[in-house]
Each structure stands twice: as C-alpha cells, then as structure tokens.
Amino acid sequence: MRLSAIRQHGFGHLGVKVNKQIIYTMSAFEQNPIKGVVRKGFPNMIRRTRESFFVVAIPALLAYMAYDWGVTTQARLDRKDPKMYENDV
Amino acid sequence: MMLRKNPLINLFIGSFYRLPAPININYLWNGGSLIGTFMVIQVLTGLFLSMHYCGNTLMAFYSVNHIMRDVSGGWIMRYIHANGASFFLAFIFMHIGRNLYYKTYYRKGAWMVGIVLLILSMLTAFLGYVLPWGQMSFWGATVITNFVTAIPVWGETIVNWLWGGFSVDNPTLNRFYTFHFLFPFLIIALSIVHLFFIHQTGSSNPLGNFSDNMKLDFWPYYGVKDILGMFLSLFFFLLLVGFSPDYFGDAENFLKANPMVTPVHIKPEWYFLFAYAILRCIPNKKLGVLALVFSIVVFFFFIFSKKKVLPSLGYRLVFWIWAMNFIMLTWLGGCPVKDIFIFMAQISSFIYFFFLFLLMVI
C-alpha cells in the first residue's frame, strides 16, 4: 500500500491510469433481468456441475468412508464381543 | 460534479458507488461483505450486551442469566451475538477457501493482512467464549492458556502474567472482557487496511485473468448482489437464532464455572475444532502446541508460492481433498479421546500440512 498513490489518485482510482473508457448501455425498455435464466441458466448449471462433480465428489466420498470406518470401528471396540459369550449357559 | 469535490464523498464514490469491479465475479465474492455485515451485527449486539454484563467472577454467570431472562430483548441479543460469531467465522473460512481455490494469495499485502485478521478474529471469539463464565468457558480458558507453558524457560512466568494470578480467575476474566471489547476495533481498522490493498489492484476474478477492460460499476450490480447475499444469509441466521439457538452451544456452559469439577469432554466451539484435533493427536505437549500454532501460521507461507496461474485440474483435486480433510479434522476435534479417533486425527493432520504444502508448490 503506497500512501502517495492514495493521495495522488484517490481511493477507488488506485489502479492503472484510465485513458479511454468505453461504456456499453442498453435502453431500460430492452432489459429483462431474468432473460434466459431457465433456458440458458439451467443447462449452464448442469455444465458447471458436471465439470466439477468428480473433483468434489471423490474427496467427499473418501472422507465419508473414513468417517464411517472410524465410527463403526469405535462402536465395535466399545462393545463386548458376542462370540465370547456364545456358549454361556 | 460539485459532490466529487468533497473529499469524503469522493472517497465514498470511488471506493463503493463507482468502484470498478470485474464483470465475471461469482457469489463466492460476496464473502467480504458478509463478513462485514456480521462484524457490524457483532459490534452492535455486543454493545447492548455490555450494558448489562458484569465482568466479575461473582456476577458474570448471573448477569448473563439476567440478560436472558429479565432484560427486554436480552435473550435475542445474546443468541444473535453467540450465533453471529459462528456465522462470522464460517464466512471467514469460506472467504479464505475461495482465495486458496482461485490462487489470489499472490496479492501479498491483502493476504498477509487477511491472515492477521483471521488470527485476531479467532482470538476475539475465544476471549468472548470465556465471558459467560460457564464450565466450558472456564475450562476452555484453562486449557488454551496453559499452552503458553510450552514456551521454554519463561512459559510459567508468562502464563502467570497472562492470568494475573496462579490460575484462571477474576483478573483473567476482567482482562479478557477488556480485550474482547478492544480487539473488534483493531479488526475494523485492519479491515480498512485490507481494503486499501485490494483497491490498489481491484478485485480478482474467477478466471484469474486481467480484467481492467471488463469492469462494471459496483453500484447497482454488486451492491444489489451483496444485499441479496446479506438477505439470504440473514434468513438462515435468523432461522438458527429463532428455532435452534443452542445448536452450536455446549450443555456444560449452562453450569456455572467450578474449578473443582472438570467436565468429561472439554472442547472449544466448532471453528477451533480442526486446530484442537491437530493439537490433541500429538502425544508431546510442546510439539502439539507448535503444530496448533503452525496450523494457522502456515498460511503466511503462501506468499512464497509461484505467481498466479489458473488452477489446474490437479490443483483443484488437491484443494478439495484438503477441504474435505479440514471438515474431517473439525469432526475429529469434537470426538472423545479414543484410540481410533486419535489415529485418524494423526493421519488427517499429516494430510492437512502435506496438502497445504502441495497447494503452495503446484
């Protein structure tokens, strides 16, 4: 953080020097904020999910398997072994 | 135009209203504003609580009960403050996770200040948890402050200085109250420094590329998106506060602190459990404390990793393995001290550090 930069350019204008600015606008009558939200948005969601699915699901599955093993093993160690008392009268 | 001549209004316009923001940032970029929202909620509710709380061991527990039962709206102030801390730290973890995933730690200034903010926030949360002076407050404070004795030679002297005596007692509670009140203002000041660093370059974006030619004004686009994020998170927050406010609490804290009775399972709040698991799984006390400290300090070393490159498939896989392991460490920190869980915590701790090292070098 350079204080001289902040004093010179002002907070909010600290980056590159702006030479040109091209502003694209649309008429308010042409704008629909939810345009394409189902027709384009839903397929896009499917695409993004498919691209990331295995990268997330495989570690999650491994973690769940480890958790399940830990919980069942500890539960087994907390109990008496029924086979030791099979022949009890 | 006349408005722009006023330096304060110019500052507001430049850093909020007309702040250039990349066109392609997603909802993970809401993290900063959500942390700020919950910071404000914590400061305001904390202020109201401090009007009725008494920071003395004879009165603290009863003053909290008084706030809950007698003070008008006291119960909701307390529950908002207690659960607000959980949401505050949850959003901090999400924010750090996003920066790890998109490799924005190449911005050294913002990253370093951010990790200092994390440490301060965790410290503030720990100090605040001691204040109700319940069983878990007292014993959690005892366990954590005893770590200082791991410092060679001067450990005992330092911890007695910290306690203001020979154990956690009234002087400790009093100074914890003072620091819990003070630290949020440090956090606010450092957050402004954090924003200074970020506004030098502008926000990063999910593609990690140069975005100076693809900017939108912050208002209304990201202003409204941030407000939507605030509404959604406040909805879930108020669901929790309204229907299950004691979900993240510990039953032991309904009992007044008793130095003669140790709870069966001493454990901190959920946001510390990952570090607690790392600490507990190492049999040697000094090494355990070192690992606990290093589990946070390790994030400072990310500034030495190579300059940003778009996260590859391998990097993303390593990140998600680390993230799932982090969740498992959190679960293990809350488990009782049994052989299987200690063994699993040792494996998880190794994965935690090793995979963080991999994230730095890939």
Side-chain angles (χ1 to χ4, degrees), chain A residues 5-14, chain B residues 1-20 196 199 218:
Chain A
I6 297 166
R7 277 162 47 201
Q8 193 180 348
H9 301 294
F11 200 39
H13 305 280
L14 292 171
Chain B
M1 290 305 290
M2 276 187 63
L3 283 176
R4 291 302 290 257
K5 290 202 163 113
N6 182 307
L8 265 176
I9 292 178
N10 210 19
L11 178 72
F12 176 77
I13 289 174
S15 53
F16 173 70
Y17 186 69
R18 292 293 305 270
L19 176 76
F196 273 161
H199 286 194
F218 187 85

mmCIF file of all heavy atoms in Angstrom, chain A residues 5-14, chain B residues 1-20 196 199 218:
data_model
loop_
_atom_site.group_PDB
_atom_site.id
_atom_site.type_symbol
_atom_site.label_atom_id
_atom_site.label_comp_id
_atom_site.label_asym_id
_atom_site.label_seq_id
_atom_site.Cartn_x
_atom_site.Cartn_y
_atom_site.Cartn_z
ATOM 1 N N ALA A 5 0.267 6.941 -3.475
ATOM 2 C CA ALA A 5 -0.654 6.548 -4.553
ATOM 3 C C ALA A 5 -2.083 6.912 -4.180
ATOM 4 O O ALA A 5 -2.863 7.368 -5.017
ATOM 5 C CB ALA A 5 -0.530 5.046 -4.827
ATOM 6 N N ILE A 6 -2.406 6.696 -2.895
ATOM 7 C CA ILE A 6 -3.772 7.001 -2.463
ATOM 8 C C ILE A 6 -4.010 8.503 -2.533
ATOM 9 O O ILE A 6 -5.049 8.965 -3.008
ATOM 10 C CB ILE A 6 -4.013 6.495 -1.023
ATOM 11 C CG1 ILE A 6 -3.871 4.981 -0.974
ATOM 12 C CG2 ILE A 6 -5.389 6.914 -0.537
ATOM 13 C CD1 ILE A 6 -3.766 4.441 0.417
ATOM 14 N N ARG A 7 -3.028 9.296 -2.094
ATOM 15 C CA ARG A 7 -3.217 10.753 -2.110
ATOM 16 C C ARG A 7 -3.251 11.307 -3.518
ATOM 17 O O ARG A 7 -3.947 12.240 -3.821
ATOM 18 C CB ARG A 7 -2.119 11.416 -1.289
ATOM 19 C CG ARG A 7 -2.467 11.392 0.199
ATOM 20 C CD ARG A 7 -1.318 11.609 1.132
ATOM 21 N NE ARG A 7 -0.497 12.727 0.752
ATOM 22 C CZ ARG A 7 0.753 12.853 1.167
ATOM 23 N NH1 ARG A 7 1.310 11.931 1.920
ATOM 24 N NH2 ARG A 7 1.471 13.888 0.815
ATOM 25 N N GLN A 8 -2.470 10.668 -4.407
ATOM 26 C CA GLN A 8 -2.389 11.185 -5.772
ATOM 27 C C GLN A 8 -3.651 10.844 -6.554
ATOM 28 O O GLN A 8 -4.236 11.684 -7.213
ATOM 29 C CB GLN A 8 -1.173 10.569 -6.455
ATOM 30 C CG GLN A 8 -0.785 11.250 -7.751
ATOM 31 C CD GLN A 8 0.427 10.566 -8.356
ATOM 32 O OE1 GLN A 8 1.084 9.758 -7.714
ATOM 33 N NE2 GLN A 8 0.722 10.858 -9.590
ATOM 34 N N HIS A 9 -4.051 9.560 -6.476
ATOM 35 C CA HIS A 9 -5.140 9.103 -7.327
ATOM 36 C C HIS A 9 -6.476 9.049 -6.617
ATOM 37 O O HIS A 9 -7.511 9.126 -7.247
ATOM 38 C CB HIS A 9 -4.831 7.702 -7.868
ATOM 39 C CG HIS A 9 -3.575 7.644 -8.668
ATOM 40 N ND1 HIS A 9 -3.431 8.280 -9.872
ATOM 41 C CD2 HIS A 9 -2.386 7.049 -8.425
ATOM 42 C CE1 HIS A 9 -2.206 8.070 -10.333
ATOM 43 N NE2 HIS A 9 -1.559 7.328 -9.492
ATOM 44 N N GLY A 10 -6.435 8.879 -5.304
ATOM 45 C CA GLY A 10 -7.700 8.743 -4.570
ATOM 46 C C GLY A 10 -8.114 7.294 -4.450
ATOM 47 O O GLY A 10 -7.898 6.490 -5.354
ATOM 48 N N PHE A 11 -8.710 6.988 -3.340
ATOM 49 C CA PHE A 11 -9.175 5.653 -3.049
ATOM 50 C C PHE A 11 -10.285 5.283 -4.030
ATOM 51 O O PHE A 11 -11.260 5.988 -4.158
ATOM 52 C CB PHE A 11 -9.709 5.673 -1.613
ATOM 53 C CG PHE A 11 -9.803 4.332 -0.967
ATOM 54 C CD1 PHE A 11 -8.834 3.374 -1.168
ATOM 55 C CD2 PHE A 11 -10.853 4.038 -0.142
ATOM 56 C CE1 PHE A 11 -8.917 2.148 -0.553
ATOM 57 C CE2 PHE A 11 -10.939 2.817 0.485
ATOM 58 C CZ PHE A 11 -9.975 1.883 0.279
ATOM 59 N N GLY A 12 -10.122 4.193 -4.745
ATOM 60 C CA GLY A 12 -11.091 3.819 -5.772
ATOM 61 C C GLY A 12 -10.531 4.068 -7.152
ATOM 62 O O GLY A 12 -11.070 3.605 -8.146
ATOM 63 N N HIS A 13 -9.431 4.814 -7.245
ATOM 64 C CA HIS A 13 -8.779 5.052 -8.535
ATOM 65 C C HIS A 13 -7.307 4.703 -8.436
ATOM 66 O O HIS A 13 -6.465 5.345 -9.026
ATOM 67 C CB HIS A 13 -8.921 6.530 -8.929
ATOM 68 C CG HIS A 13 -10.333 6.996 -8.943
ATOM 69 N ND1 HIS A 13 -11.185 6.740 -9.984
ATOM 70 C CD2 HIS A 13 -11.058 7.667 -8.023
ATOM 71 C CE1 HIS A 13 -12.360 7.269 -9.696
ATOM 72 N NE2 HIS A 13 -12.319 7.828 -8.519
ATOM 73 N N LEU A 14 -7.007 3.671 -7.650
ATOM 74 C CA LEU A 14 -5.616 3.382 -7.349
ATOM 75 C C LEU A 14 -4.922 2.570 -8.425
ATOM 76 O O LEU A 14 -3.752 2.397 -8.402
ATOM 77 C CB LEU A 14 -5.524 2.630 -6.020
ATOM 78 C CG LEU A 14 -5.903 3.451 -4.791
ATOM 79 C CD1 LEU A 14 -5.997 2.545 -3.585
ATOM 80 C CD2 LEU A 14 -4.881 4.520 -4.529
ATOM 81 N N MET B 1 -21.033 16.901 -10.060
ATOM 82 C CA MET B 1 -19.614 17.282 -10.156
ATOM 83 C C MET B 1 -19.162 17.993 -8.903
ATOM 84 O O MET B 1 -18.044 17.826 -8.462
ATOM 85 C CB MET B 1 -19.382 18.193 -11.360
ATOM 86 C CG MET B 1 -19.528 17.495 -12.680
ATOM 87 S SD MET B 1 -18.467 16.030 -12.807
ATOM 88 C CE MET B 1 -16.853 16.767 -12.918
ATOM 89 N N MET B 2 -20.079 18.852 -8.318
ATOM 90 C CA MET B 2 -19.705 19.560 -7.101
ATOM 91 C C MET B 2 -19.488 18.560 -5.975
ATOM 92 O O MET B 2 -18.634 18.743 -5.128
ATOM 93 C CB MET B 2 -20.807 20.558 -6.716
ATOM 94 C CG MET B 2 -20.663 21.865 -7.456
ATOM 95 S SD MET B 2 -21.803 23.099 -6.875
ATOM 96 C CE MET B 2 -21.299 23.335 -5.208
ATOM 97 N N LEU B 3 -20.290 17.471 -6.006
ATOM 98 C CA LEU B 3 -20.167 16.455 -4.961
ATOM 99 C C LEU B 3 -18.769 15.833 -4.987
ATOM 100 O O LEU B 3 -18.202 15.525 -3.957
ATOM 101 C CB LEU B 3 -21.221 15.347 -5.162
ATOM 102 C CG LEU B 3 -22.644 15.678 -4.747
ATOM 103 C CD1 LEU B 3 -23.577 14.531 -5.098
ATOM 104 C CD2 LEU B 3 -22.745 15.961 -3.254
ATOM 105 N N ARG B 4 -18.203 15.672 -6.203
ATOM 106 C CA ARG B 4 -16.913 14.996 -6.318
ATOM 107 C C ARG B 4 -15.797 15.848 -5.727
ATOM 108 O O ARG B 4 -14.705 15.363 -5.524
ATOM 109 C CB ARG B 4 -16.590 14.674 -7.783
ATOM 110 C CG ARG B 4 -17.445 13.618 -8.438
ATOM 111 C CD ARG B 4 -17.408 12.299 -7.714
ATOM 112 N NE ARG B 4 -16.164 11.593 -7.808
ATOM 113 C CZ ARG B 4 -15.924 10.550 -8.590
ATOM 114 N NH1 ARG B 4 -16.869 10.101 -9.396
ATOM 115 N NH2 ARG B 4 -14.756 9.933 -8.574
ATOM 116 N N LYS B 5 -16.063 17.148 -5.474
ATOM 117 C CA LYS B 5 -15.000 17.996 -4.923
ATOM 118 C C LYS B 5 -14.847 17.743 -3.432
ATOM 119 O O LYS B 5 -13.812 18.014 -2.856
ATOM 120 C CB LYS B 5 -15.327 19.469 -5.166
ATOM 121 C CG LYS B 5 -15.235 19.860 -6.618
ATOM 122 C CD LYS B 5 -15.025 21.352 -6.791
ATOM 123 C CE LYS B 5 -14.541 21.601 -8.193
ATOM 124 N NZ LYS B 5 -15.326 22.277 -9.074
ATOM 125 N N ASN B 6 -15.892 17.201 -2.807
ATOM 126 C CA ASN B 6 -15.817 16.924 -1.377
ATOM 127 C C ASN B 6 -15.007 15.636 -1.190
ATOM 128 O O ASN B 6 -15.360 14.599 -1.725
ATOM 129 C CB ASN B 6 -17.248 16.750 -0.826
ATOM 130 C CG ASN B 6 -17.260 16.500 0.656
ATOM 131 O OD1 ASN B 6 -16.579 15.603 1.141
ATOM 132 N ND2 ASN B 6 -18.030 17.299 1.366
ATOM 133 N N PRO B 7 -13.907 15.700 -0.413
ATOM 134 C CA PRO B 7 -13.033 14.512 -0.338
ATOM 135 C C PRO B 7 -13.712 13.287 0.269
ATOM 136 O O PRO B 7 -13.461 12.164 -0.154
ATOM 137 C CB PRO B 7 -11.864 14.974 0.543
ATOM 138 C CG PRO B 7 -12.293 16.231 1.174
ATOM 139 C CD PRO B 7 -13.370 16.823 0.362
ATOM 140 N N LEU B 8 -14.608 13.509 1.230
ATOM 141 C CA LEU B 8 -15.274 12.356 1.859
ATOM 142 C C LEU B 8 -16.227 11.687 0.877
ATOM 143 O O LEU B 8 -16.282 10.463 0.766
ATOM 144 C CB LEU B 8 -16.057 12.807 3.095
ATOM 145 C CG LEU B 8 -15.323 12.687 4.422
ATOM 146 C CD1 LEU B 8 -16.177 13.245 5.542
ATOM 147 C CD2 LEU B 8 -14.909 11.260 4.731
ATOM 148 N N ILE B 9 -16.989 12.512 0.163
ATOM 149 C CA ILE B 9 -17.950 11.956 -0.793
ATOM 150 C C ILE B 9 -17.189 11.316 -1.951
ATOM 151 O O ILE B 9 -17.581 10.264 -2.470
ATOM 152 C CB ILE B 9 -18.932 13.047 -1.268
ATOM 153 C CG1 ILE B 9 -19.820 13.431 -0.092
ATOM 154 C CG2 ILE B 9 -19.756 12.573 -2.457
ATOM 155 C CD1 ILE B 9 -20.811 14.524 -0.368
ATOM 156 N N ASN B 10 -16.067 11.936 -2.338
ATOM 157 C CA ASN B 10 -15.237 11.363 -3.391
ATOM 158 C C ASN B 10 -14.716 9.988 -3.003
ATOM 159 O O ASN B 10 -14.672 9.056 -3.803
ATOM 160 C CB ASN B 10 -14.055 12.303 -3.655
ATOM 161 C CG ASN B 10 -13.599 12.222 -5.083
ATOM 162 O OD1 ASN B 10 -14.325 11.767 -5.962
ATOM 163 N ND2 ASN B 10 -12.377 12.633 -5.339
ATOM 164 N N LEU B 11 -14.338 9.888 -1.740
ATOM 165 C CA LEU B 11 -13.856 8.606 -1.202
ATOM 166 C C LEU B 11 -14.957 7.557 -1.280
ATOM 167 O O LEU B 11 -14.743 6.430 -1.715
ATOM 168 C CB LEU B 11 -13.432 8.820 0.259
ATOM 169 C CG LEU B 11 -12.933 7.605 1.030
ATOM 170 C CD1 LEU B 11 -11.562 7.210 0.532
ATOM 171 C CD2 LEU B 11 -12.869 7.895 2.521
ATOM 172 N N PHE B 12 -16.165 7.947 -0.891
ATOM 173 C CA PHE B 12 -17.304 7.027 -0.907
ATOM 174 C C PHE B 12 -17.626 6.613 -2.338
ATOM 175 O O PHE B 12 -17.832 5.439 -2.635
ATOM 176 C CB PHE B 12 -18.513 7.701 -0.245
ATOM 177 C CG PHE B 12 -19.764 6.890 -0.301
ATOM 178 C CD1 PHE B 12 -19.953 5.807 0.545
ATOM 179 C CD2 PHE B 12 -20.775 7.195 -1.212
ATOM 180 C CE1 PHE B 12 -21.106 5.041 0.493
ATOM 181 C CE2 PHE B 12 -21.932 6.438 -1.266
ATOM 182 C CZ PHE B 12 -22.099 5.357 -0.416
ATOM 183 N N ILE B 13 -17.632 7.591 -3.241
ATOM 184 C CA ILE B 13 -17.972 7.300 -4.634
ATOM 185 C C ILE B 13 -16.895 6.407 -5.262
ATOM 186 O O ILE B 13 -17.193 5.426 -5.943
ATOM 187 C CB ILE B 13 -18.153 8.608 -5.441
ATOM 188 C CG1 ILE B 13 -19.438 9.308 -4.997
ATOM 189 C CG2 ILE B 13 -18.201 8.325 -6.941
ATOM 190 C CD1 ILE B 13 -19.655 10.672 -5.605
ATOM 191 N N GLY B 14 -15.616 6.736 -4.984
ATOM 192 C CA GLY B 14 -14.517 5.984 -5.595
ATOM 193 C C GLY B 14 -14.372 4.572 -5.068
ATOM 194 O O GLY B 14 -13.934 3.673 -5.777
ATOM 195 N N SER B 15 -14.724 4.357 -3.794
ATOM 196 C CA SER B 15 -14.478 3.041 -3.202
ATOM 197 C C SER B 15 -15.740 2.212 -3.021
ATOM 198 O O SER B 15 -15.669 1.077 -2.598
ATOM 199 C CB SER B 15 -13.784 3.183 -1.853
ATOM 200 O OG SER B 15 -14.499 4.059 -1.039
ATOM 201 N N PHE B 16 -16.869 2.742 -3.363
ATOM 202 C CA PHE B 16 -18.101 1.970 -3.256
ATOM 203 C C PHE B 16 -19.004 2.189 -4.474
ATOM 204 O O PHE B 16 -19.216 1.291 -5.272
ATOM 205 C CB PHE B 16 -18.836 2.335 -1.946
ATOM 206 C CG PHE B 16 -20.189 1.718 -1.809
ATOM 207 C CD1 PHE B 16 -20.334 0.352 -1.599
ATOM 208 C CD2 PHE B 16 -21.342 2.493 -1.916
ATOM 209 C CE1 PHE B 16 -21.581 -0.229 -1.509
ATOM 210 C CE2 PHE B 16 -22.599 1.909 -1.818
ATOM 211 C CZ PHE B 16 -22.728 0.557 -1.612
ATOM 212 N N TYR B 17 -19.498 3.382 -4.653
ATOM 213 C CA TYR B 17 -20.517 3.631 -5.678
ATOM 214 C C TYR B 17 -19.993 3.359 -7.091
ATOM 215 O O TYR B 17 -20.622 2.630 -7.863
ATOM 216 C CB TYR B 17 -21.014 5.075 -5.520
ATOM 217 C CG TYR B 17 -22.161 5.457 -6.391
ATOM 218 C CD1 TYR B 17 -23.425 4.915 -6.185
ATOM 219 C CD2 TYR B 17 -22.009 6.371 -7.430
ATOM 220 C CE1 TYR B 17 -24.496 5.265 -6.990
ATOM 221 C CE2 TYR B 17 -23.067 6.724 -8.240
ATOM 222 C CZ TYR B 17 -24.307 6.181 -8.017
ATOM 223 O OH TYR B 17 -25.355 6.519 -8.827
ATOM 224 N N ARG B 18 -18.849 3.939 -7.456
ATOM 225 C CA ARG B 18 -18.304 3.772 -8.804
ATOM 226 C C ARG B 18 -17.049 2.901 -8.802
ATOM 227 O O ARG B 18 -16.239 2.975 -9.705
ATOM 228 C CB ARG B 18 -17.932 5.152 -9.405
ATOM 229 C CG ARG B 18 -19.085 6.081 -9.715
ATOM 230 C CD ARG B 18 -19.978 5.581 -10.834
ATOM 231 N NE ARG B 18 -19.267 5.300 -12.069
ATOM 232 C CZ ARG B 18 -19.060 6.183 -13.046
ATOM 233 N NH1 ARG B 18 -19.480 7.432 -12.911
ATOM 234 N NH2 ARG B 18 -18.420 5.833 -14.144
ATOM 235 N N LEU B 19 -16.904 2.081 -7.778
ATOM 236 C CA LEU B 19 -15.734 1.198 -7.721
ATOM 237 C C LEU B 19 -15.776 0.230 -8.893
ATOM 238 O O LEU B 19 -16.771 -0.456 -9.102
ATOM 239 C CB LEU B 19 -15.761 0.412 -6.404
ATOM 240 C CG LEU B 19 -14.668 -0.626 -6.216
ATOM 241 C CD1 LEU B 19 -13.361 0.068 -5.875
ATOM 242 C CD2 LEU B 19 -15.047 -1.600 -5.102
ATOM 243 N N PRO B 20 -14.701 0.146 -9.696
ATOM 244 C CA PRO B 20 -14.721 -0.774 -10.836
ATOM 245 C C PRO B 20 -14.562 -2.214 -10.345
ATOM 246 O O PRO B 20 -13.595 -2.535 -9.666
ATOM 247 C CB PRO B 20 -13.513 -0.351 -11.679
ATOM 248 C CG PRO B 20 -12.962 0.867 -11.041
ATOM 249 C CD PRO B 20 -13.456 0.926 -9.649
ATOM 250 N N PHE B 196 -7.698 -1.286 1.451
ATOM 251 C CA PHE B 196 -6.706 -0.435 0.759
ATOM 252 C C PHE B 196 -5.895 -1.278 -0.229
ATOM 253 O O PHE B 196 -5.712 -0.903 -1.388
ATOM 254 C CB PHE B 196 -5.727 0.181 1.757
ATOM 255 C CG PHE B 196 -6.176 1.469 2.371
ATOM 256 C CD1 PHE B 196 -5.597 1.926 3.542
ATOM 257 C CD2 PHE B 196 -7.157 2.240 1.796
ATOM 258 C CE1 PHE B 196 -6.000 3.121 4.116
ATOM 259 C CE2 PHE B 196 -7.572 3.427 2.368
ATOM 260 C CZ PHE B 196 -6.985 3.870 3.538
ATOM 261 N N HIS B 199 -8.064 -2.522 -3.153
ATOM 262 C CA HIS B 199 -8.488 -1.475 -4.089
ATOM 263 C C HIS B 199 -7.328 -0.923 -4.914
ATOM 264 O O HIS B 199 -7.553 -0.201 -5.878
ATOM 265 C CB HIS B 199 -9.219 -0.355 -3.343
ATOM 266 C CG HIS B 199 -10.595 -0.751 -2.925
ATOM 267 N ND1 HIS B 199 -11.531 0.148 -2.496
ATOM 268 C CD2 HIS B 199 -11.200 -1.953 -2.864
ATOM 269 C CE1 HIS B 199 -12.658 -0.491 -2.186
ATOM 270 N NE2 HIS B 199 -12.482 -1.772 -2.411
ATOM 271 N N PHE B 218 -19.630 -0.781 -9.190
ATOM 272 C CA PHE B 218 -20.051 -1.612 -8.056
ATOM 273 C C PHE B 218 -21.556 -1.471 -7.807
ATOM 274 O O PHE B 218 -22.255 -2.467 -7.592
ATOM 275 C CB PHE B 218 -19.272 -1.226 -6.801
ATOM 276 C CG PHE B 218 -19.540 -2.137 -5.652
ATOM 277 C CD1 PHE B 218 -18.841 -3.324 -5.487
ATOM 278 C CD2 PHE B 218 -20.529 -1.826 -4.725
ATOM 279 C CE1 PHE B 218 -19.115 -4.188 -4.444
ATOM 280 C CE2 PHE B 218 -20.800 -2.682 -3.660
ATOM 281 C CZ PHE B 218 -20.095 -3.859 -3.527
#
